[in-house]
Amino acid sequence: MFGSSVASVAPEGTARLADSTVRRRLRTLDQRCTRKRRTSVTSATPSGLSPDSTSQQTLAVARWCAAQGWPVHPLAMGRKTPAGNCPACRVHGHSPAGCPCLPAGRWCHGFLAATLDEDLIASWWGTHPQLGVGVACGPAGLVVLDIDAHPGAVPSRDRVLPGISIDDRVDLTGLATGFDSLALLAALRGAQDPAQDASTLRVRTPSGGLHVWYRSEADRWLCSVGSGTGTGRALAWQVDIRAAGGYIIAPGTRTRDGTYTMLGRCRQPAPLPAWLAQELGRTGHVRSPQAQAPSALSSPVPARARQAIINMGGGRSQAERALHTVLAEVVACAEVPAGAGFTAKLNRAAYTAGGLVASGYFTETEAERLLTEAAVHARPGQERRCSSIIRNGLVAGGKRPLQLKGRA
């Protein structure tokens, strides 16, 4: 696979590895990667569980995770995505902070609904055993390396390991998946390949990938974005980080593609290795001390959007405040690359704006421009998708004019 050549370029401020050291480690890596990856998998589920699918298994998985101190939330039946919001939340959108669902015993807002409450867990999975189990990584203090095994076009050398320029003399022939890029990073750092780390919880995914679980301070690290393309915040090509602002599928969870199966005997995450913590910091995965959880109260509308509202003469009106609130939720998604409920929030904002337009508070052109600015701020490069959500939301909201007291 990787030739026994020399990797001569390291990130600025770090020592370069000696040629002989790199050659030796790359030879070892080459030998390892020529063997079949699926070696002696020990089928396992959380302690006390049968690998067979029963009506009690998902409840047992959820309880086992909660017992570890990992907040859990439901996943859609047979899928990897969170269970959908209740009909009331889809129609009458509201922020997670004001959601009445959890006190009423319902789940909503994806991983933001994650809980350790024994009664809620018993109610959710006892009544709906077909639901999967997700774990909210941030509050659980988890950092999970999500290694993909999907062969694809390898990006340029400067994107295989973001921030590290790989010397042309390093033979990358055979590099095909996230297993390879992570092993290369570990070899260059003189560290153990996390995929081979038997001292921590590792979970084989149905697609042949691997989740490597570590523990760290709660909400310190951020999720990756764009690792599959070699762009954006990423540790390595095809290696995602699941941390604050995201979730991970619990071991023992069954999807339509198969079961997430623990490897080996270790059932607990080990502390995050120091070298990996340094790499996460180097690649922008560390959360600033001042960072707050996204909320309508703490996330401002972009300056241009705010000024546009003021220019319309509604700087202090109820209509402006109503629109500001839903736009702020959209903008807040910029802090969370995945799992923030962006689509639902943008749809809710567009629906609200449509109602305000129908009542004459704003023109459709003005509302569409404000929504587009907020959406592009949160999800740059997704203009076409955002435009479709905005148009559909405006049309739906326009059928229900929104009347406010004290109209400006």
Side-chain angles (χ1 to χ4, degrees):
M1 196 192 76
F2 307 122
S4 56
S5 304
V6 180
S8 62
V9 181
E12 184 177 354
T14 62
R16 296 180 179 180
L17 293 175
D19 290 359
S20 60
T21 301
V22 175
R23 289 193 182 100
R24 184 173 63 253
R25 292 192 179 278
L26 289 178
R27 279 197 298 271
T28 302
L29 178 59
D30 186 49
Q31 293 167 2
R32 178 191 303 158
C33 292
T34 56
R35 296 193 296 266
K36 193 174 182 181
R37 295 198 181 282
R38 291 176 177 262
T39 58
S40 60
V41 175
T42 302
S43 178
T45 53
S47 180
L49 295 182
S50 164
D52 298 328
S53 177
T54 68
S55 61
Q56 293 299 311
Q57 176 156 346
T58 53
L59 175 58
V61 168
R63 283 173 167 166
W64 180 81
C65 291
Q68 316 308 309
W70 306 336
V72 292
H73 63 95
L75 301 179
M77 180 178 64
R79 300 174 61 185
K80 301 188 293 184
T81 54
N85 286 359
C86 68
C89 288
R90 290 197 294 268
V91 176
H92 307 291
H94 50 252
S95 69
C99 180
C101 295
L102 290 182
R106 303 186 298 269
W107 62 81
C108 261
H109 305 289
F111 69 86
L112 296 177
T115 183
L116 296 173
D117 186 282
E118 294 181 2
D119 292 335
L120 273 181
I121 291 171
S123 173
W124 290 350
W125 283 280
T127 306
H128 304 280
Q130 73 278 13
L131 297 175
V133 182
V135 175
C137 295
L142 293 172
V143 177
V144 181
L145 279 62
D146 183 355
I147 308 170
D148 284 340
H150 305 302
V154 179
S156 59
R157 287 174 174 263
D158 61 332
R159 291 183 175 180
V160 173
L161 301 176
I164 299 178
S165 181
I166 302 175
D167 194 282
D168 290 339
R169 290 171 291 177
V170 177
D171 183 6
L172 297 183
T173 302
L175 187 145
T177 71
F179 284 96
D180 303 328
S181 60
L182 183 60
L184 177 60
L185 177 62
L188 291 174
R189 292 291 180 257
Q192 180 185 31
D193 179 359
Q196 305 296 324
D197 187 358
S199 71
T200 195
L201 174 61
R202 294 174 298 158
V203 179
R204 177 72 69 186
T205 72
S207 65
L210 189 69
H211 293 168
V212 184
W213 295 49
Y214 291 109
R215 67 175 187 270
S216 185
E217 303 136 272
D219 292 315
R220 172 170 172 74
W221 307 102
L222 294 170
C223 290
S224 295
V225 56
S227 65
T229 60
T231 61
R233 181 171 59 235
L235 177 67
W237 174 61
Q238 286 203 6
V239 180
D240 280 321
I241 299 299
R242 306 296 182 189
Y247 65 93
I248 195 69
I249 298 175
T253 295
R254 182 184 295 273
T255 69
R256 64 185 61 168
D257 297 319
T259 302
Y260 285 73
T261 307
M262 288 194 278
L263 300 186
R265 297 183 178 181
C266 186
R267 297 292 177 268
Q268 292 296 323
L272 182 68
W275 78 272
L276 269 177
Q278 292 176 351
E279 291 299 305
L280 292 178
R282 181 183 64 80
T283 52
H285 288 85
V286 65
R287 196 173 191 179
S288 66
Q290 295 80 19
Q292 301 289 327
S295 72
L297 297 178
S298 64
S299 300
V301 172
R304 287 186 298 168
R306 174 74 178 178
Q307 188 59 48
I309 295 176
I310 294 174
N311 291 342
M312 284 187 276
R316 295 187 178 182
S317 71
Q318 283 187 304
E320 183 272 338
R321 287 194 295 272
L323 189 56
H324 177 276
T325 297
V326 291
L327 286 175
E329 289 192 2
V330 174
V331 172
C333 292
E335 295 185 26
V336 183
F342 170 76
T343 299
K345 290 176 181 177
L346 180 57
N347 182 65
R348 182 163 57 246
Y351 184 90
T352 301
L356 294 172
V357 168
S359 295
Y361 291 99
F362 306 112
T363 68
E364 184 172 343
T365 299
E366 291 165 337
E368 186 169 359
R369 185 176 70 251
L370 296 173
L371 288 161
T372 300
E373 274 204 26
V376 171
H377 175 84
R379 293 292 184 269
Q382 300 184 25
E383 288 81 359
R384 180 177 297 182
R385 171 194 171 210
C386 293
S387 177
S388 176
I389 297 171
I390 290 170
R391 291 302 308 154
N392 292 336
L394 285 172
V395 170
K399 297 176 181 178
R400 293 185 173 233
L402 182 58
Q403 295 293 338
L404 303 173
K405 294 182 179 180
R407 173 174 172 171

